[in-house]
Amino acid sequence: MPSSIASYQWLLYIFTVISSLQVSATRFNIPRLSPTRGTILQNPEILSATISEDFQTFYYNQTLDHFNYRPESYSTFQQRYVINFKYWGGGAGADANAPIFVYLGAEEPLDGDISVIGFLTDNAARFNALLVYIEHRYYGKSIPFGSREEALKNASTLGYFNSAQAITDYAEILLHIKEKYNARHSPVIVIGGSYGGMLAAWFRLKYPHAALGALASSAPILYFDDITPQNGYYSIVTRDFREASETCYETIMKSWAEIEKVASKPDGLSILSKKFRTCKPLKDLYELEDYLELVYADAAQYNQPPKYPVNMLCGGIDGAALGTDNDILSKIFAGVVASKGNKTCYVNPPINGSETAVGYRWQTCSEMVMPIGIDNTTMFPPDPFDLSNYIDDCKKLYGVSPRPHWVTTYYGGYDIKLILQRFASNIIFSNGLRDPYSSGGVLEDISKSVVAIHTVNGSHCLDILRANQDSDPDWLVMQRKAEVEIIEGWISKYYADLQSNNRNCTQNKRKGNNK
């Protein structure tokens, strides 16, 4: 009976969280930060490809709270990490001080990332690298408090769910691995994409003794505290669509007024529900508009070869103009089908109570407050970010207020070039300029070793995904090549410094013995 009650309470909590995303007037439909295609309302697809036997799973007895000394802070949980030893120094990685490449997991289970993040495996043989993948706390199998239901039940248990705790987890595990495998002098390169890219950059800044360098792919570390204009994201979405097709862009622009016109009729919501084949009858027009906004944003953010989702979507919209049903809303629906595939229903599918949806909701309601809004210069209806309403809705859900200034307080962000050029080193900020989140990325070199690499036609995290010789364009191949060469330079210099340090230590030891 108690377990049944707990399960019921868990389902009720999930329903409350996901429902709040769907009905709130506040902008919570912020596109998810993920290297792989998906949105906040969708669990990322776990690829069915079999993980190679070269990947071995381990668990580390992780500290719950790294920053306090209360008795409960010393509680522990099992944190999952995965290692691939295949390429490590040709079997003598520790002896050769061969490098360690580390993928920092983000807001989803680790399983899917291992399948699709190719930068590590694609370059492992070249560097004789040990490959490590670490899962983010509160996701996948790295759940504190014994169960997901207990870990996510309220703000008291969720309070340990933040980026500072997460990157300290990574530091503990990396130091454990280096000690366990006698790899004290093996240089570590951390790699992450999107939110994970932010974690990689922040990790290098906060734990330079644990990582020699970082590759931060599509990391919008400047999309906090209004450093980046609020409309930056949706301005790039608009530009992507307009460059793909002027008629597609114009159709989308006109569609919002048409949706509102139809919705104002006595049976308008019913008409729209039928037109867009919704899974449930629409409760209001915002349910449809929010869905369409995320469809367009998703296509732009992950507009990668060989399919190029923006072109597919616009192909559906423009192609519908040639058919018998060529009214504006029919064209828009044709674009949705072209983008999402032919499904039984769209717009408001059954509630997805995944840990990703629930976990990301907490993260955006605590520290990851990214003020993404829409002004009147895009192809979308104006919808400015309202921080007061945002805070109120988070307080209603969790009983605590977000900290919108915490990221810039703890990690920095303002005057980033002026500040980081004085002490930071060995970070690559990579971006594709067709990625809407590039508006909050670092796009200019900060110093000789904190560098920005961007491609005009690139999309979200494309550089760290698995290489495809058949479809990767030349500019993407060159981007990855540049990143690898920079990392090689870091490691070569480290080895030279290590050799010099060892030589000095030997000489000093001899001098001491001769006294």
Side-chain angles (χ1 to χ4, degrees), residues 54-125:
D54 296 323
F55 293 90
Q56 300 178 37
T57 299
F58 300 89
Y59 289 88
Y60 179 75
N61 200 37
Q62 189 60 265
T63 304
L64 176 64
D65 183 4
H66 299 288
F67 304 112
N68 289 287
Y69 296 89
R70 295 190 299 268
E72 60 268 26
S73 299
Y74 292 86
S75 300
T76 60
F77 66 96
Q78 295 296 294
Q79 185 165 10
R80 178 167 59 157
Y81 64 98
V82 174
I83 299 181
N84 184 337
F85 295 93
K86 180 178 180 181
Y87 306 96
W88 197 25
D95 296 334
N97 295 324
I100 302 173
F101 285 180
V102 183
Y103 180 76
L104 303 184
E107 76 284 18
E108 59 192 355
L110 194 60
D111 310 73
D113 289 335
I114 295 174
S115 300
V116 300
I117 301 298
F119 189 89
L120 287 77
T121 50
D122 291 343
N123 294 291

Side-chain angles (χ1 to χ4, degrees), residues 14 61 158 197 231 293 319 368 379:
I14 291 294
N61 200 37
L158 285 164
N231 70 321
E293 281 181 13
M368 302 299 292
M379 68 180 188

Side-chain angles (χ1 to χ4, degrees), residues 255-275:
S255 68
W256 310 111
E258 185 65 19
I259 289 172
E260 292 179 8
K261 177 182 174 182
V262 174
S264 66
K265 297 179 180 179
D267 58 346
L269 292 180
S270 178
I271 295 172
L272 290 173
S273 297
K274 187 176 297 184
K275 172 70 75 173

Side-chain angles (χ1 to χ4, degrees), residues 173-467:
I173 290 177
L174 284 177
L175 295 176
H176 165 74
I177 289 172
K178 294 185 80 171
E179 180 179 1
K180 181 177 180 180
Y181 298 107
N182 192 29
R184 176 185 174 191
H185 294 300
S186 290
V188 170
I189 305 296
V190 293
I191 297 149
S194 202
Y195 167 55
M198 290 192 274
L199 295 178
W202 293 336
F203 187 88
R204 170 61 184 161
L205 295 175
K206 292 291 187 181
Y207 297 97
H209 61 285
L212 173 67
L215 171 56
S217 176
S218 298
I221 64 169
L222 303 181
Y223 223 133
F224 296 94
D225 232 356
D226 287 328
I227 298 173
T228 295
Q230 292 187 2
N231 70 321
Y233 185 97
Y234 282 97
S235 292
I236 292 181
V237 176
T238 299
R239 187 192 68 196
D240 289 349
F241 274 83
R242 192 166 194 175
E243 289 180 354
S245 167
E246 183 72 21
T247 56
C248 174
Y249 156 78
E250 290 177 354
T251 300
I252 294 172
M253 281 266 289
K254 296 174 183 176
S255 68
W256 310 111
E258 185 65 19
I259 289 172
E260 292 179 8
K261 177 182 174 182
V262 174
S264 66
K265 297 179 180 179
D267 58 346
L269 292 180
S270 178
I271 295 172
L272 290 173
S273 297
K274 187 176 297 184
K275 172 70 75 173
F276 285 90
R277 204 189 302 168
T278 63
C279 300
K280 295 175 291 186
L282 292 171
K283 296 178 181 177
D284 55 52
L285 68 90
Y286 302 111
E287 197 174 3
L288 174 59
E289 288 186 340
D290 286 350
Y291 173 82
L292 292 174
E293 281 181 13
L294 285 180
V295 167
Y296 303 141
D298 184 68
Q301 186 166 318
Y302 301 98
N303 193 36
Q304 61 197 46
K307 293 184 177 181
Y308 293 104
V310 170
N311 293 344
M312 289 177 61
L313 199 155
C314 280
I317 289 176
D318 292 341
L322 305 176
T324 55
D325 293 331
N326 59 1
D327 61 280
I328 288 178
L329 297 188
S330 292
K331 294 176 185 178
I332 295 298
F333 180 65
V336 171
V337 174
S339 175
K340 297 296 184 181
N342 193 6
K343 299 182 178 181
T344 56
C345 65
Y346 303 86
V347 182
N348 46 16
I351 290 175
N352 180 356
S354 72
E355 66 204 65
T356 296
V358 177
Y360 186 72
R361 179 68 159 86
W362 163 258
Q363 290 188 271
T364 58
C365 253
S366 51
E367 62 174 349
M368 302 299 292
V369 181
M370 305 180 74
I372 298 177
I374 303 175
D375 65 11
N376 59 3
T377 65
T378 75
M379 68 180 188
F380 299 93
D383 189 6
F385 181 84
D386 189 321
L387 180 59
S388 295
N389 286 342
Y390 191 95
I391 291 173
D392 288 344
D393 281 355
C394 287
K395 286 179 69 175
K396 290 176 184 175
L397 187 58
Y398 295 108
V400 295
S401 296
R403 295 181 179 177
H405 311 298
W406 175 245
V407 166
T408 54
T409 300
Y410 191 69
Y411 299 111
Y414 286 105
D415 300 318
I416 190 169
K417 185 168 186 177
L418 177 66
I419 303 302
L420 291 193
Q421 69 182 352
R422 299 176 183 277
F423 79 93
S425 64
N426 295 2
I427 302 174
I428 299 171
F429 290 103
S430 63
N431 283 280
L433 298 186
R434 291 190 183 277
D435 171 20
Y437 270 123
S438 69
S439 59
V442 176
L443 303 179
E444 296 180 359
D445 290 352
I446 290 174
S447 67
K448 289 184 179 180
S449 67
V450 180
V451 298
I453 296 179
H454 60 259
T455 53
V456 173
N457 296 314
S459 58
H460 200 62
C461 298
L462 188 55
D463 58 319
I464 63 171
L465 301 185
R466 193 174 301 280

Side-chain angles (χ1 to χ4, degrees), residues 486-502:
I486 290 170
I487 292 171
E488 277 185 327
W490 296 343
I491 293 175
S492 295
K493 185 177 186 307
Y494 168 80
Y495 284 148
D497 291 344
L498 179 63
Q499 187 176 28
S500 176
N501 182 70
N502 290 341

